[in-house]
């Protein structure tokens, strides 16, 4: 937006200067028309430079390897949009087929330059060694910050370091393991009313924030309606969401109903979060021994956040914390349908070592889940192949380098867990196959037998890695265990072939399943 603002201001200034000092140049011209013509010429010249000359002839990145082909003006954008499983699927192909020394460059819309780090060294530089030189896009932060506030997900630099440090105790595994009975109790509700998003929302509400939203039993309450308006916006809303990631400033100023609806929805959620903070503070002040410990209570006790800061964190947890797990669970169910032998093997393990979740006295601990190697293998394999966040974006905040290549300030970098997690250079020739057995055996439970720390990027690495990783993995394992142990699942259409529906989080497109409730364990 900045160049056009500058051009417009310059056009007006030039017009008035000419009119003031030399009327012979503008004897009878309309000033507005003259300014517009100057603006049009400036804009056209800038577009030729920015879209054609700079990326092809002058960019310091132009020598980096990239995929062949592409449009004269629109680069690879058409190919990326046509890919049925999303652009991350193409990144998988490029990372294997394009010879490179750690970085791939491609041209997107209007020949905008995008870099994809693919080698462990390149990924380490972006994620671990110099993470604050590669920040989230400022426009995205500004846009989402209006809704979420600047919590740990959006904060940068010293502010991010402070927030993460103050939140770490709340997400330490010694605390998360106390939440497994809550995960299990909500899993039992899921199998009675299978809605993944509502189940995960209830879990983040009860285990994370201290309030049972009860959305499985009451799907029409205000909070659930509000969430549906955000996460199920219809075709028009999906188009606006895609545009938001390209030009957030434009979406914000458009006079459309979607903007006002989104703002109203965020205010409802923010109001809910504020009431949660106040109630939890009352519980802590009264030393209510009956009040269960949750992530919010630990964050309050840290003393590192104002009420507004706590609300910002809760907004982040609510919006980011439940859709991602619901995405993973939907792919897991799809894989169980596609590979019935995996489903049977998983069910046998679950039923032999865990209690029936339908029993009124049923409860589990983190140790119980740890004793199920095949359950954890299935969960890890789903998270490897179908990361709930296929791509994360960074922008170089200053002139820097990446594996020895000069990277100018403002360069956009796409990190793609979907591409890295299925890269044959890391995982071998069967990298694209669903194979839980790769996680079984000595030393493989947490690594899949791969030595590199950068072969599995579902939760990223380094200071910006997912702070809720332990929470998400525990929740996912409980939900899948309860489902597989209690329900037999198969595709409603035996000829179903999975493609990916892209959105805020990916899901199997048009997935319909038939379930049969099995007898007691």
């Amino acid at each position: 937006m900045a160049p056009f603002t500058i051009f417009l201001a310059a056009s007006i200034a030039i017009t008035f200067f000419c009119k003031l000092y030399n009327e012979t140049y503008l004897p009878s011209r309309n000033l507005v028309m003259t300014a517009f013509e100057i603006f049009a010429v400036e804009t056209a010249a800038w577009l030729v430079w920015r879209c054609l000359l700079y990326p092809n002839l002058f960019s310091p990145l132009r020598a980096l390897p990239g995929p062949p082909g592409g449009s004269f003006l629109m680069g690879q954008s058409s190919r990326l949009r046509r890919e049925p499983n999303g652009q991350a699927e193409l990144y998988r192909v490029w990372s294997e087929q394009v010879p490179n020394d750690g970085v791939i460059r491609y041209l997107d819309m209007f020949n905008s330059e995008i870099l994809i780090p693919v080698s462990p060294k390149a990924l380490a530089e972006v994620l671990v060694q110099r993470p604050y030189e590669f920040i989230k896009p400022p426009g995205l932060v500004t846009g989402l910050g209006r809704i979420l506030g600047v919590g740990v997900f959006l904060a940068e630099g010293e502010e991010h370091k402070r927030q993460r440090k103050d939140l770490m105790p709340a997400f330490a595994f010694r605390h998360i393991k106390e939440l497994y009975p809550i995960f299990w109790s909500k899993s039992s509700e899921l199998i009675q009313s299978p809605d993944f998003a509502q189940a995960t929302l209830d879990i983040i509400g009860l285990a994370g924030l201290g309030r049972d939203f009860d959305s499985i039993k009451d799907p029409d309450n205000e909070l659930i309606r509000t969430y549906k308006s955000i996460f199920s916006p219809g075709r028009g809303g999906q188009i606006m969401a895609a545009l938001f990631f390209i030009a957030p400033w434009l979406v914000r100023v458009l006079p459309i109903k979607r903007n006002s609806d989104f703002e109203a929805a965020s205010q409802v959620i923010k109001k809910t979060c504020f009431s949660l903070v106040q109630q939890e503070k009352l519980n802590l002040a009264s030393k209510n021994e009956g009040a269960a410990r949750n992530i919010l209570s630990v964050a309050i006790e840290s003393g590192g956040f104002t009420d507004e800061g706590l609300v910002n964190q809760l907004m982040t947890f609510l919006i980011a914390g439940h859709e991602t797990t619901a995405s993973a669970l939907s792919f897991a169910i799809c894989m169980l349908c596609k590979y019935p032998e995996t489903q049977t093997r998983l069910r046998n393990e679950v039923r032999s070592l865990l209690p029936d979740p339908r029993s009124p006295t049923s409860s589990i601990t983190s140790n119980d889940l740890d004793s199920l190697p095949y359950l954890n293998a299935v969960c890890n394999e789903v998270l490897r192949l179908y990361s709930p966040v296929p791509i994360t974006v960074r922008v170089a905040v200053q002139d820097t380098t990446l594996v020895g290549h000069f990277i100018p300030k403002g360069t956009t970098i796409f990190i793609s867990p979907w591409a890295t997690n299925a890269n044959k250079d890391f995982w071998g020739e069967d990298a694209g196959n669903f194979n839980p057995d790769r996680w079984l055996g000595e030393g493989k439970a947490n690594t899949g037998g791969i030595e590199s720390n950068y072969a599995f990027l579902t939760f990223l690495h380094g200071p910006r890695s997912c702070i809720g990783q332990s929470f998400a993995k525990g929740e996912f394992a409980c939900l899948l265990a309860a489902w597989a142990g209690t329900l037999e699942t198969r595709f409603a259409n035996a000829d179903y072939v999975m493609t990916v529906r892209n959105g805020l989080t990916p899901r199997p497109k048009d997935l319909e399943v038939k379930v049969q409730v099995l007898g007691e364990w």
Side-chain angles (χ1 to χ4, degrees):
M1 184 179 182
F4 299 104
T5 304
I6 294 171
F7 296 159
L8 182 58
S11 303
I12 295 171
I14 292 170
T15 301
F16 276 96
F17 179 83
C18 292
K19 183 70 175 176
L20 182 62
Y21 289 99
N22 195 341
E23 297 235 3
T24 60
Y25 286 111
L26 302 168
S28 59
R29 302 278 298 191
N30 181 286
L31 290 179
V32 174
M33 180 59 69
T34 301
F36 175 78
E37 289 173 351
I38 295 173
F39 173 73
V41 170
E42 290 173 333
T43 300
W46 181 83
L47 288 173
V48 169
W49 164 255
R50 186 66 187 83
C51 300
L52 298 176
L53 298 180
Y54 178 78
N56 292 304
L57 299 176
F58 296 96
S59 170
L61 306 174
R62 67 187 185 280
L64 291 174
S71 163
F72 173 71
L73 181 61
M74 303 300 283
Q76 300 285 344
S77 61
S78 177
R79 185 180 177 189
L80 288 164
R81 275 60 180 178
R82 288 198 311 267
E83 170 56 48
N85 289 323
Q87 65 194 72
E89 194 66 31
L90 271 182
Y91 295 165
R92 286 184 180 182
V93 175
W94 292 346
S95 65
E96 295 172 357
Q97 296 183 358
V98 175
N100 66 84
D101 63 354
V103 182
I104 292 172
R105 167 190 179 259
Y106 76 92
L107 301 180
D108 206 332
M109 273 206 254
F110 303 109
N111 286 338
S112 57
E113 296 178 288
I114 308 292
L115 299 186
I116 310 171
V118 295
S119 71
K121 188 176 188 305
L123 290 165
E125 289 184 21
V126 175
L127 295 174
V128 177
Q129 296 167 12
R130 290 177 282 126
Y132 298 113
E133 289 184 15
F134 302 97
I135 64 171
K136 293 181 184 292
L140 182 65
V141 171
T142 301
L144 286 179
R146 283 193 322 129
I147 302 163
L148 301 180
V150 182
V152 70
F153 176 70
L154 295 177
E156 291 290 348
E158 294 301 318
E159 177 61 17
H160 175 264
K161 293 177 185 177
R162 182 194 68 79
Q163 290 191 23
R164 189 175 177 95
K165 178 182 177 182
D166 289 337
L167 283 172
M168 282 302 290
F171 287 95
F173 185 70
R174 66 179 181 275
H175 171 60
I176 297 299
K177 67 182 183 180
E178 298 173 359
L179 303 177
Y180 275 60
I182 296 175
F183 298 161
W184 191 244
S185 68
K186 281 298 175 182
S187 299
S188 68
E189 293 183 19
L190 168 68
I191 58 180
Q192 298 172 43
S193 180
D195 187 302
F196 301 156
Q198 289 171 200
T200 53
L201 182 61
D202 279 356
I203 287 176
I204 195 70
L206 191 56
L209 316 179
R211 179 180 295 181
D212 190 346
F213 297 133
D214 216 15
S215 64
I216 294 178
K217 296 178 180 178
D218 181 18
D220 293 322
N221 69 53
E222 183 183 31
L223 185 65
I224 304 308
R225 293 198 307 272
T226 301
Y227 263 97
K228 286 181 178 179
S229 73
I230 294 176
F231 293 113
S232 303
R235 181 61 178 168
Q238 291 172 7
I239 293 173
M240 296 310 298
L243 182 59
F244 180 84
F245 283 92
I246 299 171
W249 58 269
L250 177 60
V251 174
R252 292 198 303 272
V253 301
L254 289 176
I256 54 176
K257 186 175 182 295
R258 173 68 180 163
N259 274 341
S260 59
D261 289 348
F262 204 86
E263 184 69 29
S266 69
Q267 290 303 315
V268 170
I269 299 173
K270 189 169 291 187
K271 180 181 176 182
T272 300
C273 290
F274 185 79
S275 69
L276 289 169
V277 170
Q278 301 310 308
Q279 183 59 54
E280 197 61 37
K281 282 191 167 184
L282 288 175
N283 289 339
L284 293 171
S286 63
K287 294 183 169 48
N288 185 350
E289 299 297 333
R293 296 270 290 173
N294 54 68
I295 290 172
L296 174 58
S297 64
V298 178
I300 292 172
E301 289 176 329
S302 76
F305 298 98
T306 63
D307 284 1
E308 182 181 1
L310 287 167
V311 169
N312 290 345
Q313 305 304 338
L314 297 193
M315 292 283 286
T316 300
F317 300 156
L318 277 172
I319 291 180
H322 86 281
E323 274 291 314
T324 48
T325 306
S327 169
L329 191 57
S330 66
F331 281 108
I333 300 307
C334 186
M335 291 300 100
L336 294 186
C337 293
K338 184 175 181 180
Y339 302 102
E341 67 281 3
T342 297
Q343 182 175 174
T344 300
R345 185 175 170 186
L346 176 59
R347 180 180 301 113
N348 291 340
E349 181 185 73
V350 167
R351 286 189 158 223
S352 66
L353 295 170
L354 295 183
D356 191 328
R358 293 166 292 187
S359 169
T361 59
S362 178
S363 184
I364 65 167
T365 68
S366 62
N367 290 334
D368 294 328
L369 264 291
D370 289 342
S371 68
L372 278 69
Y374 196 64
L375 169 65
N376 289 292
V378 171
C379 289
N380 282 332
E381 187 70 347
V382 170
L383 292 171
R384 181 184 73 87
L385 281 177
Y386 306 108
S387 171
V389 182
I391 299 169
T392 188
V393 187
R394 297 290 187 268
V395 173
V397 73
Q398 63 191 49
D399 288 348
T400 184
T401 61
L402 191 56
V403 288
H405 299 290
F406 173 73
I407 307 296
K409 177 181 177 180
T411 300
T412 299
I413 295 171
F414 281 6
I415 300 167
S416 177
W418 272 46
T420 302
N421 290 0
N423 191 321
K424 292 180 181 178
D425 291 340
F426 291 128
W427 296 93
E429 288 302 312
D430 72 337
N433 298 340
F434 180 77
N435 178 21
D437 285 327
R438 74 175 79 244
W439 300 89
L440 299 176
E442 186 176 354
K444 295 183 178 181
N446 296 315
T447 67
I450 306 303
E451 294 183 1
S452 174
N453 291 331
Y454 301 94
F456 184 82
L457 289 184
T458 298
F459 299 102
L460 298 182
H461 281 294
R464 300 303 309 240
S465 62
C466 176
I467 195 171
Q469 177 177 168
S470 295
F471 186 103
K473 292 178 77 172
E475 172 190 21
F476 180 34
C478 285
L479 289 166
L480 184 58
W483 182 285
T486 309
L487 303 173
E488 183 175 329
T489 316
R490 64 183 186 277
F491 290 131
N493 177 2
D495 297 325
Y496 176 79
V497 176
M498 190 193 78
T499 56
V500 177
R501 174 178 66 81
N502 291 292
L504 188 65
T505 53
R507 302 287 178 91
K509 186 176 181 180
D510 299 328
L511 175 64
E512 295 182 1
V513 301
K514 293 181 179 180
V515 297
Q516 178 183 350
V517 180
L518 302 175
E520 293 183 2
W521 300 10

